[in-house]
Structure formats: structure tokens, C-alpha cells
């Protein structure tokens, strides 16, 4: 019997490979960072070949380091930075240009133009997304329009498009596929019919032949080339990073939510079989599809992203220099009883959900002569929780599902003070699991379910273990007053750089 699932976790700054055992515990990990490419202000690229080579090398390394052979691996699960766009030659398998990364803003004007033409509602209704440069569709159009000869070659069926999952699977196996969760981030996929949408493809002038086949998030999609690991391994799990983390947190039922506190914060609420159309500028997205054909079952999510989460603490460290390491923020913030009336809006690159204000800028209000760095640090920490509270309020209005608890992960979720304050301002218990590598774990679970390494979602949910639970402990009037003050302060930061 195979002993492990190999999770391939291709992130924005590093490629990682993690071996998970039957208990859902980490057996081994290898990681490699790779360069970020910034050719012009607002542009962010990755070399797709470097991504592939780094990912293959960490996958081979983790097996070697832990004396695990390919025959010990039941399946591979892939999770990836989402929306990042690759265009390659089907025959040679070489990328035509650098991958355009999700953060890249070069197609913002194109999105404005489509909005001016009144197309936003159509895109939102079909794809669940806001018409924004963040998603793959306009990035692919940009590549077709700017790489010499690309459009004509695409018309002739010579090229392939994919997000990072597709690209890696193509290199691993030769198959050209993506899963429903990744497809749902392209602006090209109809999340209701579960098909690439001809009308949207026409609007963006994207030839149909470029697109991968859309498969289940949990099912054997392909087998790796024998030469790579010595024996073919089934690729049986695929999901975008935030969806995989939601699965890894065992948020399998409608009404369950997780929030990841990394550079930004990503909250996903499982809405079950219902694709809830947001009235409050959240995204409607596919969480995962389990099973194939007639037995396929898809769960939808509402998603809200906050741009500056843990990155706010990085700014205290690198921008202000008032701490040496992120973990020191807790001690500094605890040295004062409260933020002393200071409110910090970390809108350094605009505000994400539910404001979507690209013109908002970072603002600190309420300072007096008594204000010191500890108040600023405390207000910075609080801002992470307040932004999350804004997203959750929007979600609850959209979904009309009261949240029982919030499961958390990511680097800043290690901060107990932040997690307690989060529970206080949400008035919802916040729960941190033992395994916080939830992204890779979710990909492993999706793969393991498909090959009967694990037998059911229930078995997986039973493996989820709590590290710490934070109970809300703030009076209702104080909570209301604080949120009111926060929202007044947000108004001061909005529509600034216009
Ligand atoms: P990513 O995957 O986006 O790179 P991580 O999940 O690794 O992010 O989390 C790193 C982020 O967490 C950094 O932005 C860092 O500032 C923040 N962070 C780390 N430790 C703490 C802490 N103790 N308190 C608050 N923020 C923290």
C-alpha cells in the first residue's frame, strides 16, 4: 500500500513539495524560491520555465531526502498561485513569453474599457468575478495581441493557454487540463453551465482551441511521464491555492469559512450547491468539483480578498523600522492598553473587498501628542481584523448564513493577540488548527480522495485538529463603536489618489 501523497504547492514566491502521510501529517518538505520580474511599474512576471524547473526539482528532492520512491506515492495533488497566465507552444512545450502574474496591472485600462462598454454585469453574471486585471482573461488577450504572431498561431491551434496548474500538468504528463476552481478565475468560464463561454471568448477575441479541458478537482487527470520520477504517478488533485486551503481546513459544508492571514487576507465562505451572486462586491467562485461525470458535485464559495494583511506588519518592520521581526509586533502592541484612538487604514495599494477602491491610500488618523509607536503597532494589527470584519459582514449580507466559527491559517494567524481581537470584533469564535499548511494539505486531500488513499470527506474532517480557540469577549456596544470608528476612518482614506 502506498504511504504518501505528494503535494505540489506552486506559490507566488516559491515552489514547494510536501509529502503527507495517512494521518494528514507532514513527512517531508522541500522549497525553492524563484525570481520575481518587474519589467515596468505595475507589471509582474515569472519565467514559466523557471517555475517548472524549480517545481520539478523540489518534488524530486523531497523524495530523495526522505528515501521515498515513486511507488510509495499514491498520487500527486497540485495547488497553485491563481490567475497567473501562461501561453505555450503545444508541440515544443516552450512558453512564448514570461507568465503574467496575478498581481500584474497592465490590463487595467482594457478592463476600464470593457466596463465603459457595459460588459461588467455580463462577466459578473457568468463568471462570478468583477471585471478586473487580476484575472486571467485579459492577460491572455494581452499576450495574444503583443507576442508577434501569437494570435495567428492560436487560430491555427498551435498554442495552449493555461494557469499554473495546467502548465505544470502539461510539463509533468503532456495532458492539457485545468480543474473547475482554476477555470473559475479566468473570466472565460461560465460557473453555472461549467463550460468555457463562447460569448465571453468572442468579446475578448480568444480562440477556443487555446483552452484546456476542464476536469474535476479530485479525479485522476493524467499520469506523470515515466522519466521524471522513475515510474508514472497519477495526478489526482488540482485546486487553486485559496480553494485548496478551504478544503484543507475541512470547510466542506455550506456555512463554513476560513480566512488565511498571509501577505493579504483571503476569506472564503462555502455556500454549498448555491452560486450566490454578490450584491456587495465579493467574488462568486468555484471551490472544487469532486467526482466525475454524472456523479460530479461542485461546491461554490463567496470570496473576499484584503490586499494588506500580514504585509501591514512587514511595513512596520521595513518601512518604519519599529520592529526587527514580524513576531515582535505582539509584544510592542501589548505594551499599551489600547491603540489610544489611533486608526490605521493600510490602503497602500488601494482597498480590496468590499470597497474595491484602487484610489484609496494608506492613512493613520486619530494621533495626538501622546501617540507612540506601540499605538501605531496596535492599530496596524487591529486593521487586519477590521478589514476581515468588513469582508465577513458583506458575506453574511450576501449569503444570509450566520457563521458559527472562523477557521484561520497563514503566517499572521500565529499572532494570538490578533486572533483574540479578531474574535472580538467579529463576535464569532476563531479557531486555529494544528496543521497550518492547509493549502498543500487541501491539494493532498483532493488527490488522496480520488485514489482511495482516504475514503471520504468525513475521514478527512476527522483529521482536522484544533490548536487554539479564541472566544469573542467584547461587549456589543464597544464592538459597534469600534466598527463605526473604523468605517469613518476608511472614508478618510478613500478616493485619495485620483
Ligand atoms: P505568504 O504565504 O503570503 O507569503 P505567510 O502565510 O507566510 O504569507 O505569512 C507571512 C506574513 O505574516 C507576513 O506578511 C508577516 O508580516 C506576517 N506575520 C508573520 N508573523 C506574524 C506575527 N506574529 N504577527 C503578525 N503578522 C505576522
Amino acid at each position: 500500500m502506498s504511504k504518501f501523497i505528494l503535494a505540489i504547492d506552486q506559490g507566488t514566491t516559491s515552489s514547494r513539495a510536501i509529502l503527507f502521510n495517512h494521518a494528514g501529517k507532514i513527512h517531508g518538505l522541500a522549497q525553492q524560491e524563484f525570481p520575481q520580474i518587474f519589467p515596468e511599474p505595475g507589471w509582474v512576471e515569472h519565467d514559466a520555465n523557471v517555475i517548472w524547473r524549480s517545481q520539478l526539482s523540489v518534488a524530486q528532492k523531497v523524495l530523495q531526502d526522505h528515501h521515498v520512491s515513486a511507488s510509495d506515492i499514491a498520487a500527486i495533488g497540485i495547488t497553485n498561485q491563481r490567475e497567473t497566465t501562461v501561453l505555450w507552444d503545444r508541440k515544443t512545450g516552450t512558453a512564448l513569453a514570461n507568465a503574467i502574474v496575478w498581481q500584474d496591472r497592465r490590463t487595467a485600462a482594457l478592463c476600464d474599457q470593457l466596463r465603459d462598454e457595459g460588459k461588467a454585469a455580463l462577466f459578473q453574471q457568468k463568471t462570478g468575478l468583477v471585471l478586473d486585471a487580476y484575472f486571467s482573461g485579459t492577460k491572455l488577450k494581452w499576450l495574444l495581441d503583443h507576442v508577434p504572431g501569437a494570435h495567428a498561431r492560436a487560430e491555427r491551434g498551435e498554442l495552449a493557454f493555461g494557469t499554473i496548474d495546467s502548465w505544470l500538468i502539461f510539463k509533468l504528463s503532456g495532458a492539457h487540463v485545468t480543474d473547475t476552481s482554476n477555470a473559475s478565475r479566468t473570466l472565460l468560464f461560465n460557473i453555472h453551465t461549467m463550460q468555457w463561454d463562447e460569448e465571453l471568448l468572442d468579446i475578448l477575441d480568444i480562440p477556443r482551441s487555446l483552452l484546456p479541458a476542464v476536469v474535476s478537482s479530485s479525479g485522476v487527470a493524467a499520469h506523470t511521464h515515466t522519466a521524471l520520477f522513475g515510474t508514472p504517478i497519477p495526478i489526482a488533485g488540482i485546486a487553486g491555492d485559496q480553494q485548496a486551503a478551504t478544503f484543507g481546513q475541512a470547510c466542506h459544508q455550506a456555512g463554513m469559512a476560513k480566512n488565511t492571514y498571509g501577505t493579504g487576507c483571503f476569506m472564503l465562505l462555502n455556500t454549498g450547491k448555491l452560486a450566490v451572486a454578490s450584491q456587495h462586491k465579493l467574488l462568486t467562485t468555484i471551490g472544487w468539483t469532486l467526482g466525475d461525470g454524472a456523479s460530479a458535485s461542485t461546491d461554490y464559495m463567496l470570496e473576499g480578498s484584503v490586499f494588506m494583511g500580514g504585509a501591514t506588519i512587514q511595513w512596520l518592520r521595513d518601512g518604519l523600522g519599529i520592529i526587527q521581526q514580524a513576531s515582535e509586533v505582539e509584544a510592542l502592541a501589548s505594551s499599551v492598553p489600547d491603540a489610544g484612538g489611533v486608526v490605521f487604514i493600510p490602503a497602500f495599494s488601494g482597498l480590496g473587498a468590499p470597497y474595491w477602491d484602487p484610489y484609496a491610500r494608506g492613512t493613520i488618523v486619530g494621533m495626538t501628542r501622546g501617540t507612540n509607536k506601540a499605538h501605531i503597532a496596535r492599530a496596524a494589527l487591529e486593521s487586519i481584523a477590521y478589514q476581515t470584519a468588513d469582508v465577513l459582514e458583506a458575506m453574511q449580507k450576501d449569503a444570509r448564513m450566520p457563521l458559527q466559527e472562523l477557521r484561520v491559517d497563514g503566517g499572521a494567524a500565529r499572532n494570538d493577540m490578533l486572533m483574540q481581537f479578531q474574535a472580538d470584533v467579529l463576535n464569532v469564535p476563531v479557531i486555529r488548527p494544528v496543521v497550518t499548511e492547509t493549502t498543500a494539505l487541501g491539494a493532498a486531500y483532493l488527490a488522496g480522495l480520488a485514489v482511495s488513499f482516504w475514503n471520504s470527506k468525513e475521514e478527512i474532517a476527522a483529521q482536522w485538529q484544533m490548536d487554539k480557540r479564541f472566544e469573542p469577549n467584547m461587549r456589543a456596544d464597544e464592538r459597534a463603536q469600534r466598527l463605526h470608528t473604523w468605517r469613518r476612518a476608511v472614508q478618510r482614506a478613500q478616493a485619495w489618489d485620483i
Side-chain angles (χ1 to χ4, degrees), residues 9-16 31-34 36 54-55:
D9 179 0
Q10 206 303 302
T12 307
T13 56
S14 72
S15 295
R16 293 158 16 111
Q31 175 164 359
Q32 198 175 309
E33 287 196 16
F34 57 85
Q36 309 291 311
S54 65
Q55 194 62 71

Side-chain angles (χ1 to χ4, degrees), residues 13 260-264 309-315 317 326-330 381 384 409-416 418:
T13 56
T260 299
Y261 299 79
T263 305
T312 313
I313 308 308
Q314 278 171 7
W315 183 75
R317 186 193 63 192
S327 55
E328 291 171 17
V329 70
E330 196 159 359
L381 265 186
I384 301 173
D409 51 54
R414 284 194 293 264
N415 187 313
D416 284 1
L418 171 60

Side-chain angles (χ1 to χ4, degrees), residues 220-339:
V220 177
H223 288 81
T224 58
H225 294 304
T226 309
L228 296 176
F229 301 104
T231 182
I233 306 174
I235 299 169
I238 315 170
D241 53 11
Q242 297 307 321
Q243 285 93 332
T246 310
F247 201 77
Q249 283 274 24
C251 292
H252 297 151
Q253 313 294 332
M256 296 180 80
K258 70 93 201 175
N259 196 23
T260 299
Y261 299 79
T263 305
C265 295
F266 291 89
M267 174 130 70
L268 271 75
L269 170 70
N270 187 332
T271 59
K273 301 292 163 254
L274 216 59
V276 175
S278 178
Q279 309 295 322
H280 300 92
K281 299 186 184 171
L282 301 174
L283 309 177
T284 310
T285 201
I286 291 177
W288 47 76
T289 301
L290 304 183
D292 281 310
S295 67
S297 148
T298 294
D299 277 351
Y300 292 92
M301 313 268 140
L302 276 173
E303 172 175 328
S305 18
V306 163
F307 300 148
M308 292 286 290
T312 313
I313 308 308
Q314 278 171 7
W315 183 75
L316 298 181
R317 186 193 63 192
D318 305 335
L320 285 189
I322 61 175
I323 49 174
Q324 303 306 311
Q325 300 179 32
S327 55
E328 291 171 17
V329 70
E330 196 159 359
L332 179 59
S334 306
S335 68
V336 285
D338 55 42

Side-chain angles (χ1 to χ4, degrees), residues 141-218:
K141 179 173 170 50
W142 192 95
L143 286 170
L144 292 174
D145 291 347
H146 289 82
V147 175
H151 207 283
R153 294 193 64 200
E155 297 278 7
R156 293 199 296 271
E158 295 171 15
L159 305 183
F161 149 78
T163 40
I164 294 294
D165 55 312
S166 289
W167 166 245
L168 292 177
I169 295 168
F170 186 83
K171 298 301 270 185
L172 285 165
S173 72
H176 187 211
V177 299
T178 191
D179 87 304
T180 55
S181 74
N182 278 295
S184 76
R185 314 295 295 189
T186 59
L187 276 177
L188 308 173
F189 188 70
N190 187 318
I191 60 171
H192 310 288
T193 64
M194 305 294 268
Q195 306 283 338
W196 298 115
D197 193 282
E198 298 293 343
E199 187 180 6
L200 302 181
L201 293 173
D202 273 354
I203 291 171
L204 292 172
D205 194 17
I206 290 174
R208 178 78 176 72
S209 67
L210 281 168
L211 305 177
V214 181
V215 300
S216 173
S217 316
S218 178

Side-chain angles (χ1 to χ4, degrees), residues 460-477:
I460 287 170
Q463 292 190 344
W464 187 93
Q465 275 183 332
M466 184 176 82
D467 164 46
K468 196 159 177 181
R469 183 181 171 99
F470 301 86
E471 292 292 343
N473 182 26
M474 184 183 276
R475 283 177 30 202
D477 56 346

